[in-house]
Amino acid sequence: MNYKVNFTNEKEKRAMKDVFGATVAKMGEDPKFVYLDADLMSSIGTKKWADAHPTQAYNVGVSEANLAGMAAGLASSGLKPLAHTFGPFASRRCYDQVYLSIGYTKNDVIMIGSDAGVTAAYNGGTHMPFEDMALYRAIPHATVIDVTDSAMLENVLPKLLDMKGLKYVRLGRKEVLGVYEAGADFEVGKAALVKDGSDVAIIACGIMVAEALKAAAVLEAEGIKALVLDMFTVKPIDAEAVIAAAKKTGAIVTAENHNVIGGLGSAVADVLVKNTPVPMEMVGVQDEFGQVGPQDFLQNFYGLTSEVIVEKVKAVIARK
Amino acid sequence: MDNLTATAFKIRQDILDTVVNCKAGHIGGDFSVTDILTTLYFQQMRIDPLQPKDPNRDRLILSKGHSVEALYAVLANRGFFPLEDLKLVSAYGSKYIGHPTTKVNGIEANSGSLGHGLSVGVGMALAGQMDQAPYRVYIVMGDGELAEGSVWEGAMAASHYQLDNLCAVIDRNGLQISGPTEDVMGHENLEARWTAFGWHVIKAAGNSTEAMNTAFELAKTIKGQPTVIIAETIKGYGVSFMENAAPWHHKVPNAEEYHLATAELAAKRGAAL
């Protein structure tokens, strides 16, 4: 791992979908790479490359079970498939196929679920996955990643191509608040320390890493030193990092753009109760369905903001 | 080696022994699909038990995974693993579990949750097309399985990608666990359904190794579209009291039934020689 944090609370210039499209194009240089999509190539920035590479890119239409099954068959024939659709369809809609034909059969496949959580915004509840990480976490040996920003996406996605087994990656499509400098290098399965601190540890993933950094700045001004850990690999979780953070700070707050049931909060709690029980609070969707609205409205509605993290930090410190 | 028909009756005896030994299984569907699998593994498919991962091998997915005893018996007789291993089917801790698993030599996909095989086969056939590999992909489905919507997603994809290296076989025995398929969820105009999905359709007598062999030969000549063979079979074929009887979907024969079935299979094998 070799990364520099450069958080300025500004949106990146490139949309995540454009970064995704460019990364897929690069991965396509591997002749064994094959890209599948359930008719959402134009939504995720891959259409241009796909059109130019008809023998490596397949739009299978609106058939997610078929998408997952085909990916399994391609993988078992020695190819390296990556399959994309929106998060709810990449998880709920083809779960049995992903579970059995990819996971249980040990096929090496990357599944991509875009529009993570509230980033689905105007698409509303049907398209807003708050459960995709929970579903994928329940598949034995699956790797589950919630991408933080473009630097991470560019670095991590190609690494998954030669990793064994089922990998699930969730990401937003629009511009996100950048956290890392370009050229950052990450290790799948290892948390990235983005800010050191001693009073509390905020463990976050995806778009909530930026919220955690905003919260940490507010807390710093009030004399509370928060450690911020980017747990982008939600499974397998970096238990060592969780335990170390708990021992160092004595209080944990998790922050995720997902239901607190089955997501990052649950994964961190699993580690804590077995190893280092310390007071803990969870920022995330509190067992609700999605709904429509701009992303900032939804973040406020579900409490996925730096303000809520600050509140929870104070609450958890009071419980120490 | 025995002729295909005699081999199929020998394999039925191994299936019977396996089901009685492990006190579980799906003997009715095993017996209806035995001639299909025997024809494929002993005549049609380009396979070598000593090189089970040869990239150019033909592939078969038993999508109706509950007929696994038939697949195990065929693979054992074809040399993919010792015949004695059939005694381990469904034994605790055994790799020979009650539905196909890739842990077993010669098995290409885990199946058993119905409706998965065709799309996985589409992926395999597409890979073959991309690599210009010479192999063919066979997907064996049950007729009850056709109620799964995912079958039709795969059917659309196979014809869309013009996968003429893909051949599906429907074990059309007309019975599923709770009764006749036409009572449970009908498949009227089955041939027309597949034709409408862009497939070349062949109807064949599914318990005749000769008829199946002819159908598979014909399927190889069809270009630009996948072929489905609607194999008209009899559930429980080979043992008269099991034939066309829905309870034999997963019933285990008692001692008397076992002896009757053994005698009948031996007689039919003898007649075929």
Side-chain angles (χ1 to χ4, degrees):
Chain A
M1 271 205 294
N2 183 13
Y3 58 89
K4 282 199 180 118
V5 175
N6 182 20
F7 181 68
T8 57
N9 199 15
E10 280 171 40
K11 283 200 172 158
E12 296 183 332
K13 288 189 179 68
R14 291 183 301 166
M16 288 292 270
K17 66 173 186 172
D18 296 329
V19 177
F20 182 82
T23 308
V24 162
K26 214 170 181 181
M27 290 163 81
E29 290 168 10
D30 182 335
K32 293 286 180 194
F33 176 76
V34 54
Y35 177 79
L36 302 174
D37 204 304
D39 208 25
L40 291 171
M41 285 164 166
S42 54
S43 305
I44 195 68
T46 51
K47 188 162 189 319
K48 200 174 153 197
W49 176 82
D51 286 347
H53 296 82
T55 58
Q56 255 185 311
Y58 295 89
N59 180 358
V60 306
V62 192
S63 66
E64 293 80 10
N66 182 52
L67 176 86
M70 280 179 64
L74 288 159
S76 73
S77 307
L79 294 167
K80 300 177 184 177
L82 175 150
H84 162 261
T85 181
F86 288 159
F89 316 135
S91 54
R92 300 197 304 261
R93 196 72 205 221
C94 53
Y95 193 60
D96 199 37
Q97 278 74 15
V98 169
Y99 192 100
L100 293 177
S101 291
I102 301 175
Y104 178 49
T105 313
K106 294 190 167 65
N107 278 314
D108 304 332
V109 173
I110 305 171
M111 293 293 294
I112 307 287
S114 62
D115 275 13
V118 292
T119 69
Y122 290 104
N123 275 331
T126 55
H127 286 55
M128 199 164 286
F130 293 152
E131 67 296 322
D132 53 329
M133 292 203 291
L135 289 166
Y136 272 91
R137 278 186 69 222
I139 301 175
H141 316 305
T143 299
V144 179
I145 291 173
D146 193 5
V147 177
T148 304
D149 70 0
S150 64
M152 181 182 284
L153 180 60
E154 282 176 321
N155 177 252
V156 169
L157 198 57
K159 287 181 190 240
L160 302 179
L161 204 53
D162 290 309
M163 260 180 69
K164 290 283 170 203
L166 167 62
K167 287 81 58 177
Y168 176 68
V169 179
R170 75 196 305 252
L171 71 158
R173 291 186 290 139
K174 304 179 197 94
E175 295 81 0
V176 296
L177 298 174
V179 171
Y180 301 103
E181 278 186 10
D185 182 44
F186 300 93
E187 191 178 334
V188 174
K190 293 282 174 209
L193 181 69
V194 288
K195 182 190 168 298
D196 208 352
S198 51
D199 298 324
V200 64
I202 306 168
I203 303 179
C205 61
I207 61 166
M208 295 308 289
V209 176
E211 295 301 317
L213 285 169
K214 281 195 261 178
V218 171
L219 291 162
E220 197 87 12
E222 298 182 25
I224 298 170
K225 293 181 174 55
L227 180 154
V228 179
L229 212 48
D230 183 346
M231 193 63 73
F232 65 95
T233 311
V234 175
K235 187 188 174 188
I237 191 148
D238 186 349
E240 270 181 40
V242 172
I243 293 165
K247 283 185 176 161
K248 185 170 184 186
T249 66
I252 302 278
V253 173
T254 55
E256 63 193 303
N257 171 24
H258 186 275
N259 196 336
V260 292
I261 296 175
L264 176 67
S266 295
V268 170
D270 278 352
V271 175
L272 290 180
V273 292
K274 282 185 268 189
N275 297 282
T276 327
V278 296
M280 177 184 177
E281 297 283 340
M282 295 184 195
V283 174
V285 178
Q286 305 293 321
D287 202 21
E288 294 290 345
F289 290 105
Q291 63 155 313
V292 71
Q295 188 177 319
D296 56 351
F297 163 82
L298 293 167
Q299 283 190 240
N300 277 310
F301 183 87
Y302 291 109
L304 310 181
T305 59
S306 58
E307 289 84 358
V308 175
I309 295 174
V310 167
E311 276 172 37
K312 296 281 187 187
V313 162
K314 289 178 180 171
V316 83
I317 287 175
R319 289 170 54 203
K320 271 204 204 182
Chain B
M1 191 197 295
D2 292 350
N3 63 48
L4 283 181
T5 303
T7 301
F9 282 116
K10 192 269 176 189
I11 285 168
R12 281 187 173 84
Q13 182 63 47
D14 290 335
I15 295 167
L16 179 68
D17 290 339
T18 301
V19 168
V20 168
N21 179 60
C22 71
K23 300 182 185 64
H26 294 83
I27 198 162
D30 290 340
F31 280 6
S32 79
V33 82
T34 301
D35 304 291
I36 297 165
L37 295 179
T38 303
T39 307
L40 282 166
Y41 279 96
F42 284 82
Q43 182 83 35
Q44 283 291 326
M45 288 169 63
R46 294 194 304 178
I47 42 164
D48 180 355
L50 299 176
Q51 295 188 55
K53 296 291 174 196
D54 178 355
N56 288 332
R57 72 194 182 279
D58 287 345
R59 283 124 165 112
L60 181 141
I61 298 175
L62 185 65
S63 194
K64 49 168 286 186
H66 52 281
S67 294
V68 72
E69 300 86 17
L71 183 59
Y72 287 153
V74 167
L75 289 172
N77 278 282
R78 189 66 177 78
F80 280 88
F81 51 84
L83 275 168
E84 300 84 70
D85 279 16
L86 292 176
K87 294 195 177 81
L88 302 174
V89 173
S90 289
Y92 291 145
S94 158
K95 66 181 174 182
Y96 299 97
I97 58 178
H99 289 90
T101 163
T102 52
K103 287 177 187 162
V104 172
N105 200 24
I107 291 185
E108 301 281 358
N110 294 0
S111 58
S113 183
L114 295 170
H116 283 216
L118 188 52
S119 284
V120 177
V122 168
M124 289 176 174
L126 192 62
Q129 197 185 62
M130 290 164 72
D131 294 342
Q132 296 177 313
Y135 64 78
R136 289 180 68 73
V137 180
Y138 295 95
I139 309 298
V140 179
M141 293 180 282
D143 50 2
E145 180 177 3
L146 301 182
E148 294 280 8
S150 53
V151 169
W152 301 99
E153 289 189 12
M156 271 185 274
S159 70
H160 182 79
Y161 297 118
Q162 303 179 330
L163 299 175
D164 51 22
N165 54 349
L166 181 74
C167 178
V169 185
I170 297 166
D171 180 6
R172 180 70 169 125
N173 60 37
L175 284 175
Q176 58 194 98
I177 190 163
S178 56
T181 53
E182 301 317 287
D183 292 348
V184 178
M185 187 54 68
H187 305 300
E188 59 180 312
N189 301 321
L190 185 59
E191 202 174 334
R193 291 184 189 204
W194 285 93
T195 305
F197 272 74
W199 288 60
H200 182 79
V201 182
I202 299 171
K203 273 189 163 182
N207 292 123
S208 160
T209 53
E210 199 179 332
M212 287 310 298
N213 206 38
T214 305
F216 287 124
E217 284 300 323
L218 179 58
K220 284 188 213 163
T221 68
I222 306 300
K223 298 298 170 196
Q225 63 180 150
T227 293
V228 59
I229 299 173
I230 300 177
E232 293 172 313
T233 56
I234 291 169
K235 198 158 184 171
Y237 181 79
V239 174
S240 49
F241 62 86
M242 293 182 186
E243 289 181 358
N244 282 323
W248 285 102
H249 177 84
H250 60 170
K251 205 176 149 187
V252 177
N254 61 28
E256 190 190 346
E257 289 161 342
Y258 174 78
H259 289 302
L260 284 171
T262 298
E264 193 172 338
L265 291 172
K268 285 180 176 166
R269 183 183 179 194
L273 286 169

